[in-house]
Each structure stands twice: as C-alpha cells, then as structure tokens.
Amino acid sequence: MDPFRIDVPQADLDELHHRLARTRWPGELPGAGWDYGVSEPHLRELVEYWQTGFDWRAQEARLNAVPQFTTTIDGQRVHFLHVRSPEPDATPLILTHGWPSTVADFLGVLGPLTDPRAHGGDPADAFHVVAPSVPGFAFSGPTNDRGWNTRRTARAWAELMRRLGYERYGAQGGDFGSIVSPELGRTAPESVLGVHVNAVANAGVPTAPGDLERLSEEDAKRARENEAWWYGHSGYATQMATRPQTLAYALNDSPAGQLAWNLEWFVDWDPTATNQTPVDRDAILTNVTTFWLTGTAGSAARLYLEAGQDGWGERPEPSGVPTAVANFRGDHAIRGLAALSNTITRWTEYDTGGHFASLQAPEALITDIREFFRDL
C-alpha cells in the first residue's frame, strides 16, 4: 500500500494544449445536428474551453485532497481512494465506476457518505469508502496482460478489501460498476452484506433464449423497445468489444477525438433533446484529461472485449446477497431481467438525474444508498 499523489508535469499539459489548438476538424453535413454523431459545433465549443478555460490544476488539487494509494493485485497496479469516516462504527463500502468515468465522479459524494453528521445527516449512516480505479483505467492502467474482465476485477476488489482489513462491507456501482459490484457479491458472499447499483448495464435487453417469456407483457414490451434503442446507440460498444486496439491509435493521438468518443455516452447523444440532467463540463473534462494524461483510453476500451469474451451477456444465478437498484432517468433496467441474476430486495424509480447518478443526481443517490444499507 503506497501513498499516491497526482503531479502532472507542466510539459504534458502544454503538449495537450498544443494538440488541441491544432485539431483538424472534419466538417459535417448542413443541419446534421447530432443525427450522425457528436455535433461539431458542440465539440468545437468544448475543445475551446478545454484549451483556454479548463483548470486541470484545480481538479488535480481536488483529487489530491482525498487520500489515495496504489497496490499491486494479481500482477496489476490498482489505484484507489480510501476515505475513513470519523464515525468508528461506519460501514465499509466499495464504489466502482464505469466507462468512460474515473474515480473523480465520486468526489461530490465522498463527504456525505463518510461524514453524514457534517452534512446534516444521521451519523449512523456513515461509511468508510474505498473507490478503486478499474484496471486499465486512469491511474490503474494500462493493463499489462489479457483477461481483466469483470470477474477478475471483482476478485481483485475482494483482495483489496481484505488487505484493508474490512471483513464485512457493502458494494456499490454504476455502468460497468453495476456488473462488477454484483460479481463481487458472488465472489465473496461471506463478506458482501449488500449490493447497491445504478445504471444497470445488463438488465435492459434480453440476452438469453426465453428471457422475454419470463417477463410480464409490459416489461417484455419495454425490453423490445430497449433493443431498438440499443441498436441505434451501441456503435461505440461494438467497436470496443471487437477491435479496441484499432481504436486506441486514434484515441491516444487526438485529444479532440478522445473527447468526442467519450461524449458518445456522457451527453446522452443530443444534449438539446435529452431528458437527463446535463453532466457538468468540468466533470467531463476531468475524466477525459485523466485518460489523456495517463494514456489509458485504449486500455480502458479493452474492458469491453475482455468482458464479452468472459460471457458478459450470460446471466449467472443470483448470489443471494441482497441487492438494490436505483433506476434514474434515462436508465433502461427492467426489474424482471435484473432479478434473473440478482436477489432484488429494493427497486426505486427516479424521474431525475441520469446514467451518471453521482454527477447528475448525487443527493438522491446518497439517500438511496443510505436507506438500503440502513435496512441491512
């Protein structure tokens, strides 16, 4: 366990700004908007802000204000935040992010989760929080061998919590974290007291023969609608799940290109038409800058291929660990599908927020986490 501090050389930031200033713009069809992908006027505006207005040093200081460490697990460097609560009886909780996120997404929820007393809450709801960077992402990257799928990541998380001395703990995650966290419950059921997830990535569409027949008529209709929606939105995932190395050359060479790729998910496509809460542009740029400075956009993309080869679409049996789902606006999870591979004890629908709940609806997410684990 080695203390870790982010200290990016100024030369790296200067080089980033130089590349942004020399972006080659492809042009787009008149009036295309977002119909063909990320809108060029939108991207131009964000690139201009990235070059002239975004303050990486301020974000670096925010991250460095949180205790950070690295350790080696299964041959891979693992970076993690570790914030101990001032409450001695706090419940340990491990948070897992997804793509294209980093642990920076959790900065706004760490205080209320670890020290509810200082944020107008009940000290009985306190957590000791561990937030690792997924292998291959940011300061846990790049990966240096094959096979870093969600199951292997869950095994690494179990080992990390063991090393930290946490014998019983909760798990929470969104996006890919919504797959890793339940898998942690299957990996270490004697240690995981409950799993809380949002943005459930594998419970929106049928993945096995007979899935639709197990659903109510209404849920089956939603599942078919989700299939049609996913067909139009899954280009990025198909590329990363099949040919991530080909993509890595472009992402690692063009910061504007990497930003556009990340925006495929962060803006919910057309931000002028979406019903989700917009993600703050500093949050988006903190993530994309971290990927750029660590050279891990291509490494992070490999998770999609690794997860697919490990049977990402196959539904395991429920672990028996109590599981809560917070379904925010824009999420597509269906309870009947989620219940095929999880022991669902709490399901909450929200008409606010979005896929990145810690950024788009932090207060609702914190409340949902507290209420779930309070009952346990």
Side-chain angles (χ1 to χ4, degrees):
M1 299 287 181
D2 299 315
F4 180 81
R5 181 176 176 82
I6 305 168
D7 187 13
V8 173
Q10 184 59 41
D12 291 355
L13 297 177
D14 293 342
E15 197 258 355
L16 167 61
H17 293 153
H18 177 72
R19 284 176 178 263
L20 290 170
R22 293 174 58 84
T23 300
R24 293 180 63 202
W25 296 101
E28 66 179 16
L29 293 174
W34 290 75
D35 293 344
Y36 290 79
V38 174
S39 162
E40 185 169 310
H42 181 90
L43 188 62
R44 280 180 178 268
E45 181 181 347
L46 199 52
V47 165
E48 173 67 20
Y49 175 70
W50 194 5
Q51 182 190 354
T52 62
F54 175 69
D55 188 349
W56 166 257
R57 292 302 185 194
Q59 302 304 319
E60 187 179 69
R62 288 181 70 220
L63 284 160
N64 283 332
V66 180
Q68 301 175 64
F69 304 86
T70 61
T71 188
T72 300
I73 301 176
D74 195 10
Q76 177 66 37
R77 182 172 84 156
V78 173
H79 162 265
F80 61 98
L81 312 181
H82 185 199
V83 186
R84 293 275 301 178
S85 172
E87 307 297 338
D89 295 329
T91 301
L93 179 68
I94 183 167
L95 305 178
T96 306
H97 65 83
W99 183 90
S101 295
T102 68
V103 293
D105 284 12
F106 298 131
L107 292 180
V109 302
L110 291 178
L113 287 176
T114 58
D115 192 4
R117 187 193 302 268
H119 292 80
D122 185 344
D125 290 328
F127 297 93
H128 302 305
V129 173
V130 179
S133 297
V134 172
F137 286 63
F139 303 106
S140 283
T143 46
N144 48 40
D145 64 348
R146 296 172 181 255
W148 273 103
N149 50 47
T150 53
R151 294 178 186 176
R152 189 175 178 184
T153 300
R155 293 195 297 270
W157 281 191
E159 172 61 15
L160 175 61
M161 296 301 274
R162 186 196 68 79
R163 292 185 188 183
L164 292 172
Y166 295 133
E167 297 180 358
R168 290 280 285 168
Y169 50 87
Q172 200 284 328
D175 192 79
F176 255 107
S178 73
I179 302 175
V180 173
S181 298
E183 193 60 41
L184 180 55
R186 299 181 188 98
T187 299
E190 71 288 347
S191 297
V192 179
L193 58 91
V195 173
H196 183 285
V197 291
N198 63 284
V200 184
N202 60 353
V205 299
T207 59
D211 275 0
L212 287 178
E213 286 71 22
R214 303 184 187 188
L215 303 178
S216 67
E217 183 177 343
E218 180 181 352
D219 280 352
K221 179 176 180 293
R222 286 182 57 203
R224 286 189 289 268
E225 291 172 348
N226 287 347
E227 281 187 304
W229 178 89
W230 179 239
Y231 178 80
H233 288 71
S234 61
Y236 80 98
T238 301
Q239 177 68 31
M240 293 195 291
T242 55
R243 309 293 287 175
Q245 185 63 28
T246 304
L247 174 66
Y249 301 110
L251 298 184
N252 207 54
D253 192 58
S254 169
Q258 184 186 305
L259 174 58
W261 191 256
N262 285 24
L263 288 176
E264 281 289 311
W265 215 226
F266 263 128
V267 299
D268 187 34
W269 285 52
D270 184 352
T272 65
T274 181
N275 60 358
Q276 294 189 29
T277 302
V279 178
D280 180 77
R281 62 181 180 175
D282 278 359
I284 293 173
L285 291 175
T286 297
N287 282 319
V288 76
T289 304
T290 301
F291 282 123
W292 177 262
L293 294 172
T294 57
T296 55
S299 177
R302 289 200 289 265
L303 174 60
Y304 279 73
L305 185 145
E306 303 286 8
Q309 292 183 341
D310 191 45
W312 176 13
E314 299 174 5
R315 296 198 184 279
E317 292 297 319
S319 64
V321 174
T323 300
V325 176
N327 222 27
F328 288 90
R329 177 174 289 180
D331 287 335
H332 295 268
I334 296 172
R335 181 166 187 164
L337 292 176
L340 296 177
S341 53
N342 300 280
T343 302
I344 305 295
T345 60
R346 175 186 171 94
W347 186 281
T348 312
E349 298 279 348
Y350 291 93
D351 61 1
T352 59
H355 187 79
F356 301 93
S358 63
L359 298 174
Q360 295 170 294
E363 293 183 3
L365 178 65
I366 291 165
T367 298
D368 208 90
I369 293 171
R370 287 174 176 171
E371 291 180 354
F372 172 63
F373 285 102
R374 186 186 302 152
D375 290 341
L376 296 180

